[in-house]
Amino acid sequence: MAQVALARDTRDEPNEVALQTRVKAGGTLEDISEMTPRYRDVLVATMSIAADLEIMTLPLDLDAMQFAPCIGDRIAVASALQDEMGHAQVMFRMLEEFGFDAYERVFERDPATFKTFFMLEWNLKDPIDMAMSHLIGDQAGYITTCDLEEHCSFGPYSRSLRKVNFEEQFHVKRGEYSVRHYMQLGPEVRKRVQESLDFWFPLGAEWFGATDDVKSRMDQLHYKIRGSSNDQLRQIWLSRVVPFCEQLGLKVPAHFDGEKGIYVLDFEMPILFNEETGKWDFRKVTWAEKLAQWKRGGSKKVPGLRRIQSELWGHDLW
Ligand SMILES: [Fe+2]
Ligand SMILES: [Fe+2]
């Protein structure tokens, strides 16, 4: 998850120390008045990114709804889309309590300024991509929001994620069901599933952000906004996705390392996606290069968000 830029380091001040001691002992904050400015900044940045990510799923799901191959698929995607809309609503409603104007944040803000992640900024090409987005993407999102539900020291946010996580789990299950189904449809379809996975897998791996050895700001962990580091969350994701794909005969650039007792990537992060070839280049680059690619964003980000903001899609939805 992206890190938060903060101005002055006030973590040693008495009210800060008191707050940190409290959250480290498992205490929760129930009201904004209990927060220090720094805690509040970290929490709001975390919630804002999560809210923007929910909005970014909508234009992707909308396309998937329209190219769904049958009525059952169309209803399933419509249901997921409604779930994501509900998640966005929960999160933006909560941000209103921190003084944000939800309507402005969703409909009037420059799309380029939304804090979305690279994984959600690309067109889904077909129903196989949609299935893969559930298998890889919703799984990554689900792991992130489960961590927040379990550990977030702001009680109202943690509790609001309970329903979100039930629904995300449903999206993941649908992804597993669909990918398993497509893998039974013969060599041509299996080839396309592999191709889609080749695109999605590194996107999922990098969803969790920079590796722990290079990460400098640990405020989210400091304040128990979340409980696990980037690498810990990535490990959970690998431990679910890799064996599932291997069982189906799909190849992934990762494996279980028996000596270390953990899943490891077959490449070293960070790597770049080559937008011209539509393929990943597995040579290691610098984090500055990776950050620049994330900052440029994917081709769906701005047009997708513009479409949501225009509300024109409401008329031709079905
Ligand atoms: Fe969601
Ligand atoms: Fe989802």
Side-chain angles (χ1 to χ4, degrees):
M1 189 174 267
Q3 288 305 294
V4 179
L6 295 167
R8 197 165 60 88
D9 194 342
T10 52
R11 278 174 295 183
D12 293 335
E13 290 175 5
N15 59 341
E16 276 290 339
V17 175
L19 183 144
Q20 285 168 40
T21 311
R22 182 172 158 195
V23 296
K24 268 188 198 112
T28 59
L29 281 69
E30 295 296 324
D31 192 78
I32 298 173
S33 62
E34 300 170 80
M35 296 174 191
T36 61
R38 193 178 173 95
Y39 176 95
R40 184 185 161 128
D41 284 350
V42 178
L43 176 70
V44 165
T46 305
M47 294 195 325
S48 301
I49 293 168
D52 283 0
L53 289 169
E54 299 289 356
I55 295 287
M56 193 67 240
T57 63
L58 302 179
L60 276 62
D61 288 357
L62 174 60
D63 288 343
M65 218 181 108
Q66 291 177 324
F67 60 53
C70 64
I71 189 77
D73 260 30
R74 184 170 277 213
I75 290 168
V77 180
S79 162
L81 194 153
Q82 288 176 70
D83 291 342
E84 306 297 11
M85 218 158 8
H87 302 170
Q89 196 178 20
V90 165
M91 294 184 193
F92 279 106
R93 284 284 293 275
M94 198 159 286
L95 282 166
E96 282 193 322
E97 285 167 36
F98 290 82
F100 289 90
D101 177 340
Y103 188 86
E104 186 277 330
R105 300 293 292 170
V106 178
F107 292 105
E108 292 173 345
R109 196 162 31 129
D110 175 358
T113 66
F114 275 64
K115 292 261 197 300
T116 56
F117 287 0
F118 206 53
M119 185 178 77
L120 298 173
E121 296 171 352
W122 300 94
N123 259 322
L124 302 178
K125 291 189 198 133
D126 56 20
I128 291 176
D129 256 352
M130 181 61 197
M132 208 52 87
S133 84
H134 279 323
L135 182 82
I136 300 290
D138 285 278
Q139 180 71 271
Y142 176 57
I143 289 165
T144 308
T145 46
C146 280
D147 181 78
L148 289 165
E149 182 196 336
E150 194 181 338
H151 299 288
C152 186
S153 52
F154 182 46
Y157 188 47
S158 159
R159 291 190 293 274
S160 78
L161 292 172
R162 190 136 197 256
K163 178 171 180 289
V164 169
N165 285 332
F166 281 136
E167 289 164 351
E168 290 302 349
Q169 190 187 32
F170 205 80
H171 306 165
V172 174
K173 290 290 168 208
R174 175 162 185 266
E176 291 177 354
Y177 171 86
S178 306
V179 171
R180 205 178 280 124
H181 164 75
Y182 287 123
M183 286 301 280
Q184 291 162 6
L185 299 187
E188 277 308 303
V189 178
R190 277 204 290 277
K191 207 175 133 205
R192 171 64 197 128
V193 175
Q194 180 66 58
E195 185 190 279
S196 177
L197 180 61
D198 291 345
F199 170 69
W200 276 94
F201 188 88
L203 287 172
E206 68 176 33
W207 165 274
F208 301 97
T211 43
D212 289 355
D213 57 330
V214 296
K215 226 180 104 181
S216 56
R217 293 182 180 279
M218 303 294 270
D219 289 293
Q220 288 173 321
L221 290 172
H222 224 82
Y223 288 123
K224 284 202 79 179
I225 304 287
R226 60 175 172 141
S228 311
S229 72
N230 291 359
D231 284 345
Q232 286 169 330
L233 294 178
R234 191 167 12 246
Q235 187 58 220
I236 298 172
W237 179 82
L238 286 167
S239 73
R240 291 182 190 169
V241 169
V242 175
F244 179 85
C245 291
E246 283 176 342
Q247 260 176 22
L248 292 181
L250 288 159
K251 287 195 177 64
V252 283
H255 66 276
F256 185 75
D257 184 322
E259 260 174 48
K260 291 184 185 154
I262 54 170
Y263 283 89
V264 290
L265 293 167
D266 295 340
F267 59 92
E268 251 190 281
M269 286 180 64
I271 58 171
L272 292 180
F273 178 62
N274 183 328
E275 292 174 39
E276 274 166 35
T277 62
K279 293 197 181 342
W280 287 89
D281 182 338
F282 286 94
R283 278 172 302 181
K284 190 184 182 192
V285 295
T286 64
W287 280 105
E289 287 171 279
K290 183 73 244 184
L291 287 173
Q293 180 166 67
W294 282 343
K295 205 167 175 210
R296 279 196 304 280
S299 59
K300 183 73 171 178
K301 178 178 176 177
V302 170
L305 291 172
R306 272 218 181 98
R307 189 166 184 206
I308 295 299
Q309 291 182 327
S310 74
E311 294 183 86
L312 293 173
W313 54 269
H315 296 290
D316 58 1
L317 196 56
W318 190 258

Coordinates of all heavy atoms in Angstrom, one line a residue, residues 54 57 61 80 83-84 87 134 137-139 142 164 167-169 171-172, ligand 2:
E54 N -11.7 1.6 -4.8 CA -13.1 1.0 -5.0 C -13.7 1.7 -6.3 O -14.3 1.0 -7.1 CB -13.9 1.2 -3.8 CG -13.4 0.6 -2.5 CD -13.6 -1.0 -2.5 OE1 -14.1 -1.5 -3.5 OE2 -13.1 -1.6 -1.6
T57 N -12.5 0.4 -9.7 CA -13.0 -0.9 -10.1 C -14.2 -0.8 -11.0 O -14.5 -1.6 -11.8 CB -13.3 -1.9 -9.0 OG1 -14.4 -1.3 -8.2 CG2 -12.2 -2.1 -8.1
D61 N -15.4 -3.1 -14.2 CA -16.5 -4.0 -14.1 C -17.6 -3.7 -15.1 O -18.3 -4.6 -15.6 CB -17.1 -4.0 -12.7 CG -16.2 -4.6 -11.7 OD1 -15.2 -5.2 -12.1 OD2 -16.5 -4.6 -10.5
A80 N -21.1 -7.8 -8.5 CA -19.8 -7.4 -8.0 C -19.6 -5.9 -8.1 O -19.1 -5.2 -7.2 CB -18.7 -8.1 -8.8
D83 N -21.5 -4.3 -5.4 CA -20.7 -4.4 -4.2 C -19.6 -3.3 -4.1 O -19.5 -2.7 -3.1 CB -19.9 -5.8 -4.1 CG -20.9 -7.0 -4.0 OD1 -22.0 -6.8 -3.5 OD2 -20.4 -8.1 -4.2
E84 N -18.9 -3.2 -5.2 CA -17.8 -2.2 -5.2 C -18.3 -0.8 -5.0 O -17.7 0.1 -4.3 CB -17.0 -2.3 -6.5 CG -16.4 -3.6 -6.9 CD -15.4 -4.2 -5.9 OE1 -15.2 -3.7 -4.8 OE2 -14.8 -5.3 -6.3
H87 N -18.9 -0.4 -1.4 CA -17.6 -0.2 -0.7 C -17.2 1.2 -0.8 O -16.8 1.8 0.2 CB -16.5 -1.1 -1.2 CG -16.9 -2.6 -1.2 ND1 -16.1 -3.5 -1.8 CD2 -17.9 -3.3 -0.6 CE1 -16.7 -4.7 -1.7 NE2 -17.8 -4.6 -1.0
H134 N -10.6 -11.0 -10.8 CA -11.1 -11.5 -9.5 C -10.1 -12.4 -8.8 O -9.8 -12.2 -7.6 CB -12.3 -12.4 -9.7 CG -13.6 -11.6 -9.9 ND1 -13.9 -10.5 -9.3 CD2 -14.7 -11.8 -10.7 CE1 -15.1 -10.0 -9.6 NE2 -15.6 -10.8 -10.5
G137 N -6.6 -9.9 -8.6 CA -6.8 -8.5 -8.1 C -7.7 -8.5 -6.8 O -7.3 -7.9 -5.8
D138 N -8.9 -9.1 -6.9 CA -9.7 -9.1 -5.7 C -9.0 -9.8 -4.5 O -9.2 -9.4 -3.4 CB -11.1 -9.7 -6.0 CG -12.0 -8.7 -6.8 OD1 -12.6 -7.8 -6.2 OD2 -12.0 -8.9 -8.0
Q139 N -8.3 -10.8 -4.8 CA -7.5 -11.5 -3.8 C -6.5 -10.5 -3.1 O -6.5 -10.5 -1.9 CB -6.8 -12.7 -4.4 CG -6.0 -13.5 -3.4 CD -6.9 -14.3 -2.4 OE1 -7.3 -13.9 -1.4 NE2 -7.2 -15.6 -2.8
Y142 N -8.5 -8.0 -1.2 CA -9.2 -8.7 0.0 C -8.1 -8.9 1.1 O -8.4 -8.6 2.3 CB -9.7 -10.0 -0.5 CG -10.3 -10.9 0.6 CD1 -11.3 -10.5 1.3 CD2 -9.8 -12.3 0.7 CE1 -11.9 -11.4 2.3 CE2 -10.3 -13.1 1.7 CZ -11.4 -12.7 2.5 OH -11.9 -13.5 3.4
V164 N -17.6 -5.4 3.7 CA -16.7 -5.3 2.5 C -16.0 -6.6 2.3 O -16.0 -7.1 1.2 CB -15.7 -4.1 2.7 CG1 -14.7 -4.1 1.6 CG2 -16.4 -2.8 2.7
E167 N -18.0 -9.6 1.0 CA -18.2 -9.5 -0.4 C -17.0 -9.7 -1.3 O -17.1 -10.3 -2.3 CB -18.9 -8.1 -0.7 CG -20.3 -8.0 -0.2 CD -20.9 -6.6 0.0 OE1 -20.2 -5.7 -0.2 OE2 -22.1 -6.6 0.3
E168 N -15.8 -9.2 -0.8 CA -14.6 -9.4 -1.6 C -14.3 -10.9 -1.7 O -13.8 -11.4 -2.7 CB -13.4 -8.7 -0.9 CG -13.4 -7.1 -1.0 CD -13.5 -6.6 -2.5 OE1 -13.3 -7.4 -3.4 OE2 -13.8 -5.4 -2.6
Q169 N -14.6 -11.6 -0.6 CA -14.3 -13.0 -0.6 C -15.2 -13.7 -1.7 O -14.7 -14.6 -2.4 CB -14.7 -13.6 0.7 CG -14.2 -15.1 0.8 CD -14.7 -15.7 2.1 OE1 -15.7 -15.4 2.6 NE2 -13.9 -16.6 2.6
H171 N -16.0 -12.3 -4.5 CA -15.4 -12.0 -5.8 C -14.2 -12.9 -6.1 O -14.0 -13.4 -7.2 CB -14.9 -10.5 -5.9 CG -16.0 -9.5 -5.5 ND1 -15.7 -8.2 -5.2 CD2 -17.3 -9.6 -5.4 CE1 -16.8 -7.6 -5.0 NE2 -17.8 -8.4 -5.1
V172 N -13.5 -13.2 -5.0 CA -12.3 -14.1 -5.2 C -12.8 -15.5 -5.6 O -12.3 -16.1 -6.5 CB -11.5 -14.1 -3.9 CG1 -10.4 -15.2 -4.0 CG2 -10.9 -12.8 -3.5
Ligands
FE2 FE -14.0 -6.8 -5.3

